[in-house]
Amino acid sequence: MAADLDIAVVGAGVAGLAAANALRRAGREVRVFEAAEHVGGRMTTVRQHGYRIDSGAEQLSGQGYQVTWRWLRELGVPAADVPRIGHDIGVWRDGRAHPGLAHPRALLTGAGLSGRARLDLAKFLAYTGSRRREFDPDHPESTPLGLATVDDLASRQHPDLGDYQWRPVVSSFFGWHPDRSAAAPFVCLLAAVGTTTHWRTYRDGMDTLARRLAERVEVSTGAAVEEVIGNGDDDARLVVAGSTLTARSVLLCVPAPVALRLYRNPPEHERPYLAASGYTPMLKVACLTDRPLAPRCARPLYALLTPGGGPLAGLIIDHAKHPARVPAGRGLITLIAAPAAMADLLDAPDAEVADRLIAPAERYVPGLRTATTETLVHRFRHGLPEVTPAALARRAEFMARPTSPVDYASDWVMARPNSEGALRAADLAVARLLARQDATVAKELI
């Protein structure tokens, strides 16, 4: 009996949309199912009152994002629409903002680091640079760091590196807990994306790529997939809004915990990595302001990390990230909740969340409360994959698994917590799916 669908893609984030485009280009019939009413997933941009508010991802890089730039070229997105950010990331220490985090000048100016810490940083950068092939972001399980955590790595260096560089970065941009997150994926990612001189944003919002990809494929939004069941080596069944469909192949482009919940009968050899691939929540408060405020600093900042900031891990000065984010004369500052505060904040009312993050933010941006005209709270229960040593230890076996009617494409597959990781996972899944379908057709013809 013929399947209802050739290929069903579950999830309309960049991984699902890129996979659907590649499969369609290969001559397959594809339908994308998305539970939300919009595409983009964790790269969604909210447009309101002339503001462009990135609800999840904040930036990309001109370096280490090869698949992203390939798609941008194929879709005809000009480089001018993906401009350099051009401002510093700062770190708060001793009552003031220190610019230059993740910038080459940090080795000279400090970026909040002591002289001895700068020396240790220089040695570490030289070490990873000289062994670049061993810090392949596609294979973090194979680095010399083994299963060490971020805290383990920090304990081997001057305390400043952990306190004012590595822990603040993983806590704010990744939402990770340094004591339980593997250092290897973090170091591989930093080596791949380079310094902040390479960092960019999308002029019209971080959902630019997702929206362009969605224009070319059939996407059903507001269509929640309730379960997926594999039917041996033949096909799979999925239930969408109470209706049952069959598909020759199903591609799960969702966070690992969601995939594990939806996929009722995954092969036993896939379960260990699936179960170990946890996610940390992401919670942000966008403060729409009546004027462009910013922390006082020797150099203009687009982000400030706040070690010891209580419930606040850091903040993004969005109107400095790109002026198109706000109407003329206005401002936009996004507050990022600290991982340790998630248990109290994730399910709290929006007004309470905003109040509890704005209060400590006043220390870094005086006048923020009175300048704020409106706040928007963005929550992702599955914000970014937190690659623990347990997950890292199981990844090689998972990546060597045989193909089946149900496969996966998401950032957790690559243990790479960024949009490039999602797109690379999509490339891999498409190659696996096409190879399997072609082999099945060849077998049927014999």
Side-chain angles (χ1 to χ4, degrees):
M1 185 175 180
D4 299 310
L5 303 171
D6 186 9
I7 300 168
V9 173
V10 182
V14 289
L17 294 169
N21 272 265
L23 291 165
R24 181 175 177 274
R25 187 172 55 198
R28 302 309 199 265
E29 293 184 5
V30 188
R31 185 174 174 187
V32 183
F33 297 94
E34 169 56 51
E37 297 294 339
H38 54 78
V39 302
R42 290 163 285 158
M43 295 187 72
T44 303
T45 300
V46 176
R47 292 164 178 83
Q48 184 167 307
H49 310 316
Y51 291 84
R52 291 176 174 84
I53 305 160
D54 294 328
S55 63
E58 292 288 351
Q59 69 270 322
L60 68 160
S61 178
Q63 176 179 308
Y65 274 62
Q66 290 88 348
V67 181
T68 300
W69 286 98
R70 187 194 77 207
W71 274 113
L72 291 173
R73 288 191 296 270
E74 290 186 16
L75 295 168
V77 178
D81 286 351
V82 197
R84 294 183 187 274
I85 293 174
H87 293 301
D88 278 21
I89 296 178
V91 62
W92 188 269
R93 182 176 187 180
D94 299 330
R96 67 185 182 93
H98 297 260
L101 185 70
H103 192 283
R105 82 170 74 90
L107 294 176
L108 299 175
T109 62
L113 300 178
S114 64
R116 175 58 190 277
R118 276 178 268 170
L119 179 61
D120 277 7
L121 177 59
K123 290 179 179 177
F124 185 78
L125 293 175
Y127 167 74
T128 55
S130 66
R131 305 177 71 171
R132 183 64 60 87
R133 291 184 179 180
E134 296 179 76
F135 287 91
D136 180 354
D138 287 339
H139 300 283
E141 68 277 7
S142 301
T143 77
L145 297 178
L147 302 181
T149 66
V150 174
D151 272 359
D152 291 336
L153 177 65
S155 70
R156 303 169 190 170
Q157 311 293 330
H158 188 281
D160 280 5
L161 284 183
D163 294 342
Y164 298 101
Q165 295 259 319
W166 295 335
R167 291 189 187 96
V169 169
V170 300
S171 296
S172 56
F173 288 117
F174 296 0
W176 287 5
H177 295 263
D179 62 324
R180 71 186 196 197
S181 303
F186 165 61
V187 174
C188 287
L189 190 148
L190 291 187
V193 303
T195 65
T196 53
T197 57
H198 299 285
W199 291 11
R200 296 172 176 260
T201 189
Y202 292 99
R203 182 187 302 275
D204 194 41
M206 289 298 293
D207 64 351
T208 296
L209 179 56
R211 288 187 291 111
R212 289 291 191 98
L213 289 167
E215 292 170 357
R216 300 183 171 203
V217 292
E218 182 182 357
V219 182
S220 298
T221 56
V225 173
E226 298 164 15
E227 68 176 25
V228 174
I229 300 174
N231 181 25
D233 292 329
D234 299 325
D235 54 25
R237 184 172 77 249
L238 60 162
V239 178
V240 186
S243 298
T244 300
L245 302 170
T246 56
R248 290 179 63 204
S249 299
V250 175
L251 193 54
L252 292 170
C253 303
V254 293
V258 178
L260 196 57
R261 172 173 57 81
L262 295 180
Y263 191 7
R264 299 302 171 87
N265 60 338
E268 285 303 316
H269 60 267
E270 294 180 359
R271 285 184 179 274
Y273 185 64
L274 266 170
S277 297
Y279 271 65
T280 51
M282 182 192 306
L283 192 154
K284 299 164 65 176
V285 176
C287 299
L288 286 59
T289 63
D290 60 11
R291 56 191 184 275
L293 299 175
R296 290 196 191 92
C297 189
R299 300 180 64 87
L301 301 178
Y302 101 89
L304 177 66
L305 308 187
T306 57
L312 185 70
L315 52 90
I316 306 293
I317 303 94
D318 289 89
H319 52 269
K321 187 169 76 171
H322 195 278
R325 290 288 186 272
V326 300
R330 300 300 180 97
L332 176 61
I333 292 181
T334 298
L335 310 179
I336 304 171
M342 288 297 179
D344 292 333
L345 294 179
L346 195 59
D347 294 311
D350 285 0
E352 179 183 338
V353 171
D355 185 67
R356 290 184 60 182
L357 291 187
I358 290 174
E362 279 276 341
R363 178 184 183 190
Y364 314 108
V365 187
L368 177 61
R369 185 179 295 279
T370 56
T372 297
T373 59
E374 186 176 352
T375 59
L376 279 76
V377 177
H378 303 290
R379 295 175 172 85
F380 292 94
R381 291 193 177 276
H382 302 109
L384 284 168
E386 185 178 35
V387 187
T388 62
L392 207 60
R394 291 164 172 79
R395 183 169 184 264
E397 180 183 3
F398 178 82
M399 297 302 285
R401 72 197 184 281
T403 60
S404 72
V406 180
D407 214 329
Y408 314 90
S410 188
D411 45 12
W412 62 270
V413 174
M414 304 306 294
R416 194 169 179 174
N418 62 2
S419 58
E420 175 70 8
L423 291 170
R424 294 178 86 85
D427 266 7
L428 176 61
V430 167
R432 287 170 52 86
L433 191 153
L434 293 176
R436 179 187 171 278
Q437 286 200 348
D438 290 345
T440 301
V441 170
K443 182 185 290 187
E444 291 172 350
L445 293 174
I446 294 175

